[in-house]
Amino acid sequence: MSKFYNSQRTRNLYAPQSGDLFKISRSKIDLFLNCPKCFYLDRRLGINQPPSFPFSLNAAVDLLLKKEFDTYRAQRKTHPLMKKAGIKAIPYDHPQINVWRDSLRGGITYEYPGTNFLITGGVDDVWINEKEELIIVDYKATAKTEEVSIDADWQIGYKRQMEIYQWLFCKNSFKVCDTGYFLYCNGLTNREAFDQRLDFDVTIIPYKGKRTWIDRVIQDIYVCLSSNDIPKQGPDCVYCQYRETVGNR
Ligand code: SF4
């Protein structure tokens, strides 16, 4: 067996008869929406997709952004990028900020009533505006020649991510601004040479979250995990098609 991938996990499986709290992360909610079958195989039967390799450059951008915004958080000052975008807010200085930003330490959580689910998410940043509303912020890093946007079909996951974080903070009794921001860093490839540096354009994209779908989806997840039947696969993934074709050889 590969040391990178265990194709038959025996831990973190949902057992319908157990009353123990069961974590459902925002990425698993997204997996359920993309393909209920893959979600069920993973959470009930312990068969998860092989992991992709980590995006180390994206992680480095995230880490440096966090450090940079933390200096403004400590001074309770608006970051110049926020000023330039006309956002009247400051990075939120809250004792739990490092927990909220670290999904491995729990992130922001909510025990969903009527289920034994603990819904979890790890945000990139939280700002606070003049009305004392929290603003959810998500960092994105890419390198493309066209202008960055969140309008492509595949970016629906970004929007859901923002909406779930907003919902989690609402459920934790915070006042949350409907508009969150994607802080999008685009690596510039039009330089003469690498010269041991990569420059970025940073664009702040506002997004007004709609959270009304979340309760229904969590109920659907509960029904799915409580059943002994494997649900149908989603329409847009090619891996099962590939697996079936390989299986026929
Ligand atoms: S279609 Fe894709 S996402 Fe769905 S079960 Fe198959 S591999 Fe998983």
Side-chain angles (χ1 to χ4, degrees), residues 31 34-39 41 49 233-234 237-241 243:
L31 175 62
N34 289 333
C35 181
K37 178 176 174 181
C38 215
F39 173 84
L41 292 174
Q49 285 186 359
Q233 66 195 52
C237 171
V238 291
Y239 289 112
C240 271
Q241 207 180 315
R243 187 177 58 79

Side-chain angles (χ1 to χ4, degrees), residues 152-214:
D153 286 350
W154 63 268
Q155 287 169 310
I156 180 74
Y158 289 1
K159 295 172 183 167
R160 286 183 196 142
Q161 183 181 12
M162 174 70 74
E163 288 161 353
I164 293 169
Y165 295 155
Q166 290 181 334
W167 178 87
L168 278 166
F169 277 90
C170 277
K171 293 294 184 189
N172 277 269
S173 306
F174 289 102
K175 216 159 63 155
V176 176
C177 181
D178 285 341
T179 301
Y181 293 95
F182 292 98
L183 202 147
Y184 225 131
C185 303
N186 192 12
L188 301 172
T189 52
N190 57 356
R191 298 292 189 249
E192 285 298 311
F194 173 46
D195 204 18
Q196 296 178 67
R197 58 182 287 169
L198 182 57
D199 296 317
F200 289 86
D201 267 345
V202 182
T203 308
I204 296 187
I205 302 175
Y207 175 67
K208 202 165 180 184
K210 305 161 201 76
R211 306 187 279 266
T212 47
W213 58 271
I214 297 172

Side-chain angles (χ1 to χ4, degrees), residues 87-155:
I87 301 165
K88 293 188 175 144
I90 55 171
Y92 188 31
D93 190 15
H94 187 280
Q96 287 292 98
I97 187 75
N98 286 331
V99 175
W100 293 339
R101 293 193 296 189
D102 185 351
S103 51
L104 297 178
R105 283 171 67 195
I108 174 103
T109 63
Y110 175 63
E111 276 184 45
Y112 196 86
T115 71
N116 54 344
F117 290 168
L118 184 71
I119 313 295
T120 70
V123 287
D124 283 336
D125 205 354
V126 181
W127 302 340
I128 185 163
N129 67 17
E130 293 173 326
K131 292 190 231 159
E132 307 225 314
E133 295 169 330
L134 302 195
I135 296 173
I136 308 304
V137 182
D138 200 65
Y139 303 153
K140 299 287 177 213
T142 189
K144 50 171 114 180
T145 45
E146 66 270 30
E147 210 172 305
V148 292
S149 79
I150 51 164
D151 299 332
D153 286 350
W154 63 268
Q155 287 169 310

